[in-house]
């Protein structure tokens, strides 16, 4: 028997990396999964990989009309949401001196604005007692050079987990954040300009991690299953670090 049998789960940014691994785990645990991403071809491939009757809904979380479209499909096909994993995010390294308005708008637009409305627009469909999991990051608690804009968005996400826990307490909806450490995903690789930079950056990150390696997307997905399921029934408003110990040292 799966840990999410009979649940309806939405995963934004479900076509690659941590979101895709989580959509896959959710489906294997018995959930009916809806996943999103902006690129249609990647979405189609992800839906195939996740299997178990998963549905893909193309869209950008930063566009409110796309979120309306997502939840209209969920409403029509499933009628409710029990679990939401808000994983869609973007943002790279930008030195303080060179941050542009565009960097700010696009990173906060996806990671903060997009996440707020991903949650807000799910609420009319949300089951009381359900679970909302927000994708934060260890960088929300760290001071990694040239990562201020992205890191600040993740600190905002961590804060939402706390505030929304009280906002939604009457409905017993649990809101938690997962803060992954450096995790081997296409998104991590995309931070580098070339293969040599990728090697150096990953070696630098591994050097910060007490467990001495990058995480895998599936290791984060397993934590998301824990927060989605009744195994975490008394956990609310927390930030769960899944990071090989990097935030603690
Ligand atoms: N990898 C790490 O080291 C790490 C560490 C800590 C936290 N995290 C967090 O974990 C989450 C997943 O990271 P990842 O590394 O797995 O990312 P990834 O490999 O870059 O995958 C990102 C996913 O989000 C989708 N996406 C991006 N922007 C979107 C938008 N505006 N609207 C809808 N979908 C969007 C992408 O598809 P499209 O491009 O097709 O839209 C893709 O499916 C993020 O919240 C990230 O901040 C990652």
């Amino acid at each position: 028997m799966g840990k999410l049998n009979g649940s309806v789960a939405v995963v934004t940014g479900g076509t690659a990396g941590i979101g895709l691994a989580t959509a896959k785990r959710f489906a294997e645990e018995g959930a009916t999964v809806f996943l999103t991403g902006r690129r249609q071809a990647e979405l189609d491939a992800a839906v195939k990989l996740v299997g178990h009757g998963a549905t893909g809904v193309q869209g950008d979380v930063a566009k409110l009309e796309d979120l309306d479209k997502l939840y209209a499909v969920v409403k029509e096909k499933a009628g409710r949401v029990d679990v939401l994993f808000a994983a869609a995010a973007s943002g790279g390294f930008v030195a303080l001196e060179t941050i542009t308005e565009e960097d700010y708008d696009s990173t906060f637009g996806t990671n903060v604005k997009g996440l707020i409305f991903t949650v807000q627009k799910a609420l009319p469909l949300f089951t009381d007692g359900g679970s909302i999991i927000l994708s934060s990051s260890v960088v929300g608690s760290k001071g990694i050079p040239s990562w201020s804009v992205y890191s600040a968005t993740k600190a905002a996400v961590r804060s939402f987990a706390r505030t929304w826990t009280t906002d939604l307490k009457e409905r017993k909806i649990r809101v938690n954040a997962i803060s992954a450490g450096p995790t081997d995903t296409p998104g991590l690789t995309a931070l580098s300009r070339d293969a040599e930079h990728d090697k150096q950056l990953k070696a630098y990150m591994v050097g910060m991690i007490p467990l001495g390696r990058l995480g895998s997307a599936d290791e984060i997905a397993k934590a998301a299953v824990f927060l989605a399921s009744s195994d975490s029934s008394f956990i609310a408003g927390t930030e769960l670090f899944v990071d090989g110990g990097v935030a603690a040292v």
Side-chain angles (χ1 to χ4, degrees):
M1 164 127 169
K3 287 180 186 294
L4 301 175
N5 260 0
S7 296
V8 177
V10 172
V11 179
T12 65
T15 65
I18 290 166
L20 175 57
T22 302
K24 205 160 167 285
R25 281 258 170 203
F26 281 0
E28 286 163 4
E29 292 291 345
T32 298
V33 176
F34 292 82
L35 54 133
T36 82
R38 292 164 301 177
R39 293 164 300 167
Q40 188 66 53
E42 279 72 7
L43 184 62
D44 294 342
V47 166
K48 235 183 229 165
L49 197 82
V50 171
H52 298 88
T55 301
V57 186
Q58 188 275 335
D60 183 338
V61 295
K63 295 185 178 152
L64 273 54
E65 64 273 22
D66 287 3
L67 291 170
D68 288 335
K69 192 180 79 181
L70 163 66
Y71 291 118
V73 173
V74 176
K75 187 175 181 185
E76 193 204 319
K77 292 191 106 174
R80 65 177 205 281
V81 181
D82 303 304
V83 173
L84 168 63
F85 183 41
S90 60
F93 290 110
V94 201
L96 174 58
E97 295 79 359
T98 59
I99 296 166
T100 62
E101 189 177 11
E102 210 277 322
D103 293 326
Y104 173 86
D105 286 344
S106 75
T107 310
F108 271 80
T110 298
N111 303 4
V112 179
K113 183 184 107 175
L115 184 128
I116 290 171
F117 292 104
T118 295
V119 171
Q120 186 204 69
K121 287 177 178 290
L123 292 177
L125 288 180
F126 227 87
T127 307
D128 289 0
S131 171
I132 297 174
I133 304 154
L134 310 177
S135 180
S136 183
S137 166
V138 288
V139 300
S141 308
K142 293 290 217 187
I144 315 265
S146 299
W147 231 0
S148 57
V149 179
Y150 173 78
S151 302
T153 67
K154 293 300 177 177
V157 171
R158 159 163 63 95
S159 172
F160 292 145
R162 296 171 185 172
T163 312
W164 293 344
T165 293
T166 54
D167 284 340
L168 296 171
K169 70 177 189 180
E170 303 305 329
R171 298 184 59 186
K172 308 283 186 274
I173 294 171
R174 298 184 297 112
V175 187
N176 292 289
I178 287 186
S179 281
T183 305
D184 201 2
T185 66
L188 188 73
T189 301
L191 290 174
S192 300
R193 52 185 177 271
D194 55 36
E196 186 50 34
H197 185 221
D198 183 54
K199 214 168 111 191
Q200 284 170 9
L201 180 64
K202 285 179 180 164
Y204 163 73
M205 288 176 168
V206 166
M208 297 190 305
I209 303 171
L211 290 187
R213 62 173 177 83
L214 299 177
S216 74
D218 192 51
E219 288 176 302
I220 315 304
K222 285 188 276 187
V225 169
F226 170 68
L227 289 176
S229 76
S230 61
D231 285 352
S232 60
S233 51
F234 201 50
I235 299 180
T238 202
E239 180 180 15
L240 176 59
F241 289 100
V242 188
D243 67 343
V246 71
V249 297

